[in-house]
Amino acid sequence: MNAPADPRLILREDELDAGLELLMLSEAAVWAAVDQGLADQDLGLGRSHWRAAFLLRRRPGIGVQELAHLTSLSKQAASRILVDLAAKGLVEKAAGDLDGRRRTAVLTPAGLTFEAAIAERLRTQLSRAYRVGGLDGVAAARRILAALAGGRTRSPNAGGGL
């Protein structure tokens, strides 16, 4: 087993590249689990559909503008994803509380089931990784991931509509 890297050397190019490699490999593992869950659901939906469903569960009532911001999709692509989910009966659109022109989206019971089946796979995968990292590692990993996510952890465009 390798000795831990000297913390003073953590920002060296080779250390940063090792971190990038781990991010890419872990992303591949996460998306492989999502892809398998999507295949099991057999709804003809893709990764962006599940990401939208996950974010709608976590942030009910978001609209196209906020979904586009959170996922780095264009507004047109985010709108198309919500239209696809609505066509499958997984999302309902409603007029916003403050502005009747603003259309928000919420998951239907079928949408919650769709999202949960895939999220459960990822929770299992993440809990295994958290156990390996230990309690201190979990907090540190969350701080690092939140810093990488930047402004996406906060939703500046809560007023954006469908």
Side-chain angles (χ1 to χ4, degrees), residues 79-93:
S79 178
R80 183 77 226 153
I81 294 297
L82 291 176
V83 166
D84 291 348
L85 290 170
K88 300 282 185 181
L90 304 176
V91 163
E92 291 177 341
K93 297 177 189 176

Side-chain angles (χ1 to χ4, degrees), residues 12-138:
R12 288 188 4 217
E13 188 174 312
D14 59 328
E15 289 296 325
L16 293 170
D17 286 348
L20 288 171
E21 180 180 5
L22 288 171
L23 275 173
M24 285 188 277
L25 295 174
S26 60
E27 178 189 27
V30 164
W31 289 124
V34 169
D35 290 343
Q36 185 58 56
L38 289 166
D40 291 350
Q41 294 285 320
D42 197 29
L43 293 171
L45 299 174
R47 294 174 178 179
S48 291
H49 295 97
W50 179 77
R51 284 191 318 164
F54 177 80
L55 289 168
L56 283 168
R57 181 182 61 79
R58 298 276 299 165
R59 302 169 185 225
I62 62 174
V64 167
Q65 188 172 347
E66 187 172 12
L67 182 61
H69 167 73
L70 292 170
T71 60
S72 292
L73 293 171
S74 68
K75 288 179 195 172
Q76 183 178 12
S79 178
R80 183 77 226 153
I81 294 297
L82 291 176
V83 166
D84 291 348
L85 290 170
K88 300 282 185 181
L90 304 176
V91 163
E92 291 177 341
K93 297 177 189 176
D97 292 338
L98 301 175
D99 181 352
R101 295 170 297 174
R102 181 180 178 269
R103 307 268 297 166
T104 61
V106 294
L107 292 174
T108 64
L112 289 167
T113 299
F114 162 73
E115 185 281 327
I118 297 170
E120 187 56 36
R121 291 172 177 271
L122 297 175
R123 283 188 207 100
T124 299
Q125 193 175 12
L126 190 57
S127 67
R128 277 195 300 265
Y130 277 173
R131 279 193 292 277
V132 170
L135 290 178
D136 292 338
V138 171

